[in-house]
Structures are given as C-alpha cells and as structure tokens.
Amino acid sequence: MFRRPTGTEDRLPDQQAVWRFIVKAAETTAARFGYGRLDTPTFEETALFVRGVGEGTDLIEQETYTFEDRGGTRLTLRSEGTAPAMRAYLQSGLQSAPIPVRLYYVTPIFRYDRPQRGRLREHHQFGVEAIGESDAAMDVETIQLLSCFYHAAGLSSVNLQLNSIGDERCRPAFIEILRHYYSSRLDQVCANCQVRYVKNPLRLLDCKEDRCQPVIAAAPKPLEHLCAGCREHFERVQYLLRLLRITFTLNDRLVRGLGYYTRTVFEFYGAREGAQAALGGGGRYNRLVEELGGKPTPAVGFGCGLERVVLALQEEHVPRPEDPGIDISICHLGREAEDWALIVASTLRQQGFRVVTTPGERRIAVQLKQADHYRARFAGIIGSEEAASRTVSLRDMKTKEEKHGLTVESIIARLSTEARDSH
Ligand code: HAM
C-alpha cells in the first residue's frame, strides 16, 4: 500500500471547513490593508533561491527540493515566498506602480525539514511583501496585518517578539565582534555552531542546544551595535507598535534563518507554554531586490505557517467551523421509487439546494442514518405510493415530524423558508 510522503498531509473533507475559514481570514485581512494577491509558479530557477536566501543558510544547504528538468535546467520547488515575489515584481513591471507595492500570497512551500508536529516537508504560508518603502510605518503595517490575521482566525493569545539585526553599515562590524567572541569559545559550543561560526555567524545566537546557552547569554547582541540609522528606525518601529497597542517583547537573540534580512525582524508565537515553533515571522529586507538585479529597493514582509495556525486553534480549543450540512437527503424504497427520487433530487439541485440521494437498495433505517451522516436538515422519503402520486414524504430530521403527500413545489417552498431562517 502506498503512503503519503513523510512530512506531507492529506486534507480530508471534514478538515476543509477550518482550512477554508483560515484562508478566508488571510484573504480578508490582506484586502483590508490593500494587499493584492500574487501567485507564482510552484518551481523557480534554483539560482533565484540561492541568490535570494543566501548560501550558508540551512534552507539552501539542506532543505530545498531541487531537480534538473529534461531540458537540463536546475529548478527548485518553492522553498519560501519572498524571492519568487521579488522575481515577479522585477519581471512583471510592478516596479513602475506607485510605491509601496503591496502583495500577498497563500501558497504551498516545500522544505526537506525534519518532520515533527507543526513541521512539514510541504506546508502552506500566508505571506505579504510591501515593496519600495523604507519607513518604519511600513514594518509596523505588516506586523499589524499579521496580528489582525491571527485575531480574525480566532487566536486570542499570540506573542510578538521583535529585534533589529542592523544593516550593511553596522552588521559587518558586528559579525566581526561576534566571531571574535566565539573564536575563543568554539570548544564550548555544539558541532552545528562550529559550522555556523564559519558559514552563518548570526545564527550562532539562535542555537537551541543546551550546551550553547551560556555562551549565547554572554555573547554580544546586534541591538548593542546598531548604527544611528538602524537605532532610530528601530525606535520608531517600537514607538508605532506602542501607539497602535500591539504588545511585543524584545528578543535580542532573534535573528531569523534566511539571509536577506536587514534591520527589523519579528516572530509570532502561540500561547502554548514553551512553544518552540513560530506561528509566523518576517522582517525588513532592503537589499534583496538589488541582489536579484533590480534597483536598490527597500521592502518588508512576513510568512505565516497555516498548518501551525490550525494546531494553535486546536490548542486554544477554539470551536471548529463546520461545513453546513446538506438541505435534504432523498431516500427511496424500490425501483420505481428510485426513478422519481432521482427526478426530485435533480429538480431540487436546479433550485440551488444541497441534495444527496442513496443509490442502490437499502432499508429505510440505513438511508436515514446516511441522512444523519450528511447532517441533512430534512429527509425526503419516496415509496411506491409517493412515486405513483408524484409526491414526497418529508421528515424533519430535528423534530422527527413527518408530512406526507407533499408536491415538489411545496418541498421547494419549505427548503427556501428554512434556508432564509438559518441565515
Ligand atoms: P520562515 O520563518 O522561514 O520565513 O517561514 C515563515 C513561517 O512559515 C514560519 O514562521 C512557520 O510558521 C512556517 N513554517 C516554516 N517552515 C515550516 C515547516 N517546515 N512546516 C510548517 N510550517 C513552517 C519565510 O519563509 C520568509 N519568506 C518570510 C518573509 C516574507 N520574510 C519577509 N517576507
């Protein structure tokens, strides 16, 4: 028997209502802030991600799904949303639109990650990118948008962590200071950190290994080494967050995994005690567009894992939205009754009602059980008598009351009243 690939999920019919609700919350929130939807291809040239995200990051070194197509082109399944969005921005003429250009996406992301609860090899992100504006109010807009999305999705307690990692003016000097600090402590840190020391030193601050914690605690932090421009920007971000009553915690160890960030970085966490996995994260990236061949263009955005939002809703015991049940389940007894049942069902569907039938011959009790399974509001029962008189017996599945000899027109009237009352 085949099984789905490790780290992937099936989304079964009874999980769709929650999913649709969350995606709708994302779309509505993005629209409320004036963001337009962007869809990009499932795969891109490998070089786009390497250039965009940066060599030396875990994503590029270990996690991409990369292959060569039959024409010999190296392609990578979408491993994050920002580099493709910038590629589309540069390729499609969006550069000439008034700034900021506000884009959002809801899209599958593929990463060869180590699967565990909330960590998948195919997950879905709601993300936004605001391109062209360097003002701190733009950073705050994206943070506020994400916060509003969590609220719209039904999460009541999320916690925002905030940091600034400096820019091309102050970061190189900080990296040197950090390297210098670690150079005499490499024997005290884990094997991964020894690699990070060479390839991606900023991530030293982000290690979760117990043995590295004392070294990190005493390490220099980017916030202590910001240049005047970065400091002023970060002050303004904090001021505006307070103004808008968006609570946050400063986390001077927050550095993010992808290579393109400058200045503001942020992550949201769920309420669960000790939650390790971020519900969403992002930040400013003022060099990426230029890095991909465009003019120097500041930008800021976030990505939010939708499967993690589903888990957080379960953890907070938020009631699940359910698909509405069907309007009527048509049961029949005997061959001629089946003919009439199928005609009644199609007539009702043409009127826009949700209708199921019960093909084959089953006892009425079994057919009514099926109606319950579909959460049918009514059951229409058709035996030889109803078939002969072109009528239907209608059973109210709530009150169990039955009415006999109804015409199709009166069934339509009854279902319409019901539909009106339930709205
Ligand atoms: P990221 O932090 O790599 O950022 O991913 C964003 C979010 O996607 C995470 O906070 C998490 O909720 C979810 N996520 C990441 N990996 C997994 C996984 N393996 N399984 C389930 N969920 C996952 C980015 O991708 C950036 N492109 C965000 C961004 C946009 N920054 C600026 N603009």
Side-chain angles (χ1 to χ4, degrees), residues 7 53 59 63 79-83 86 105 109-116 118-130 150 256-258 260-261 266-268 277-285 299-309:
V53 175
L59 184 62
E63 295 173 5
S79 56
E80 64 97 47
T82 310
M86 293 312 111
Y105 45 83
I109 303 281
F110 306 90
R111 295 182 181 178
Y112 192 80
D113 230 330
R114 198 146 24 99
Q116 57 188 55
R119 198 194 291 159
L120 297 161
R121 289 187 175 164
E122 180 186 19
H123 72 278
H124 295 75
Q125 278 187 22
F126 164 44
V128 313
E129 316 293 351
Y150 292 132
R256 308 269 305 132
L258 312 176
Y260 43 65
Y261 292 106
F266 59 90
E267 273 174 354
F268 277 87
L279 284 178
R284 182 162 275 291
Y285 51 95
V300 56
F302 66 74
C304 162
L306 297 184
E307 285 84 356
R308 290 189 186 173
V309 173

Side-chain angles (χ1 to χ4, degrees), residues 319-366:
R320 284 164 60 132
E322 272 191 13
D323 272 325
I326 60 148
D327 296 309
I328 186 164
S329 178
I330 309 283
C331 313
H332 71 275
L333 289 165
R335 268 276 172 234
E336 312 102 85
E338 182 169 40
D339 294 356
W340 177 229
L342 294 179
I343 291 169
V344 171
S346 39
T347 312
L348 294 177
R349 284 193 196 106
Q350 275 161 15
Q351 297 295 316
F353 297 109
R354 296 179 300 259
V355 186
V356 293
T357 58
T358 42
E361 297 303 321
R362 290 190 178 75
R363 281 183 298 124
I364 194 74
V366 176

Side-chain angles (χ1 to χ4, degrees), residues 233-247:
H233 184 90
F234 195 51
E235 289 300 328
R236 178 88 182 144
V237 168
Q238 294 175 70
Y239 167 80
L240 291 174
L241 286 172
R242 289 196 190 97
L243 182 75
L244 297 173
R245 300 190 190 292
I246 299 168
T247 48

Side-chain angles (χ1 to χ4, degrees), residues 4 54 126 132 158 173 185 251 253 340 372:
R4 58 178 179 266
F126 164 44
V158 290
R185 294 170 177 83
N251 175 357
R253 300 169 47 161
W340 177 229
D372 272 334

